[in-house]
Amino acid sequence: MATLTHYIVLSSILFGLGAIGFCTRRNALILFMSIELMLNAANLLLVAFSNFMADMAGQVMVLFIFAVAAAEVAVGLAILIVLFRHVQEVDITKFNVLKW
Amino acid sequence: MDLYFWVFAAIAVLAGLFTIAAKDALPSAMGLLTVFIALASLYLHLHAPLLAIFQVAIYAGAILILIVFVVMLLMAPGERLTAIQANVSYRGFGALLGLCLIGLVAVGTKGVSDIVSMKGVPEGFGNPSIFGDLFFRDFLLHFEVVSVLLLVALIGGIYLCKKKL
């Protein structure tokens, strides 16, 4: 039977993958997807704890994270499109106007 | 059932690895889709069928479509999809995604309760009616705040995409 530890390890692996992707990739769209991966790892952890502690509040929290993720993607992608109009590029190393 | 967890955990990790390692953004998005679906299957295992549905509908349905839409929109003029189709590792990955979807459909037709044991959780745990009760009573304020947040995000998104900013 899969225990809580299994889920914690799986969630940590997924979160780690997301973090590695966020730190190493340069394509802004893949950075977005890495953030989504990290959010999903957090969701999995919430649902796992909700199950093993027999408390449904964890599942409700996941729904709020869904809403926050949707808001984040909507605004983030809009910003990305505006940036693309100016720079014609999705490589984040090219976004260096504010760099000192 | 232990096998259920291991299969979908392995798919989630492999797909996550593919998401961050893929060369182009579009295959990366497909990897993310597979992660979402594998996690939806794990939610079924964790007695959260409603969240599994939301995961497929909101994440795999809405958020990922938005990302793929922007990927297509921002694709460089020289970049063509034929270059992506030719890659062999992408085909193998497509097979993984197909496997995951078949697994989800199989679970759906066979019924979750046959595969997932209900012991260890109280009666009615994960039931949508209890979920809704909790959501609209204990978390009513949070619900209202989140609805305002979504409205603000909506307005922000529309404003940012105006022709002249």
Side-chain angles (χ1 to χ4, degrees):
Chain A
M1 196 65 204
T3 60
L4 181 58
T5 319
H6 287 83
Y7 282 100
I8 293 175
V9 171
L10 174 62
S11 171
S12 312
I13 291 172
L14 285 177
F15 191 91
L17 282 176
I20 291 168
F22 188 80
C23 294
T24 56
R25 297 306 300 258
R26 291 187 311 172
N27 187 330
L29 287 157
I30 294 180
L31 294 193
F32 261 103
M33 292 184 226
S34 300
I35 294 172
E36 292 302 317
L37 200 58
M38 288 193 274
L39 278 170
N40 267 276
N43 281 350
L44 180 67
L45 202 60
L46 272 172
V47 177
F49 269 101
S50 154
N51 179 58
F52 287 101
M53 296 177 83
D55 185 355
M56 290 263 309
Q59 294 191 10
V60 178
M61 274 302 158
V62 171
L63 205 59
F64 292 126
I65 296 185
F66 280 179
V68 172
E72 173 243 326
V73 165
V75 175
L77 288 178
I79 292 173
L80 198 61
I81 288 175
V82 175
L83 268 174
F84 186 78
R85 276 196 202 139
H86 285 269
V87 194
Q88 298 293 315
E89 186 66 68
V90 285
D91 188 337
I92 50 160
T93 54
K94 301 287 195 307
F95 302 151
N96 53 7
V97 180
L98 287 180
K99 213 174 188 176
W100 185 54
Chain B
M1 199 168 159
D2 228 10
L3 184 68
Y4 187 88
F5 170 80
W6 287 113
V7 167
F8 284 108
I11 290 177
V13 171
L14 281 176
L17 207 58
F18 188 82
T19 304
I20 63 163
K23 202 160 146 281
D24 306 290
L26 197 60
S28 182
M30 292 302 112
L32 196 63
L33 172 65
T34 314
V35 174
F36 290 160
I37 291 172
L39 285 186
S41 312
L42 286 176
Y43 290 169
L44 287 177
H45 192 241
L46 289 167
H47 310 107
L50 194 66
L51 284 181
I53 293 169
F54 283 152
Q55 174 86 4
V56 173
I58 299 177
Y59 261 117
I63 294 181
L64 202 77
I65 291 298
L66 196 64
I67 291 178
V68 169
F69 185 73
V70 173
V71 169
M72 298 282 197
L73 194 67
L74 302 189
M75 209 175 254
E79 212 176 328
R80 283 287 170 265
L81 286 174
T82 43
I84 292 168
Q85 284 162 0
N87 199 316
V88 178
S89 73
Y90 293 161
R91 284 188 200 157
F93 192 74
L96 195 68
L97 176 61
L99 189 76
C100 197
L101 285 168
I102 289 169
L104 199 63
V105 171
V107 170
T109 44
K110 196 168 159 33
V112 187
S113 51
D114 291 356
I115 294 168
V116 178
S117 74
M118 283 303 282
K119 66 171 189 279
V121 291
E123 187 69 29
F125 183 81
N127 196 323
S129 68
I130 298 175
F131 186 95
D133 208 36
L134 201 62
F135 189 52
F136 290 113
R137 189 172 293 141
D138 294 9
F139 290 92
L140 185 63
L141 179 67
H142 307 60
F143 167 70
E144 295 293 346
V145 171
V146 155
S147 62
V148 173
L149 174 76
L150 279 173
L151 180 67
V152 171
L154 182 77
I155 296 168
I158 294 170
Y159 177 74
L160 282 171
C161 284
K162 272 199 318 186
K163 227 183 191 115
K164 247 182 131 55
L165 190 69

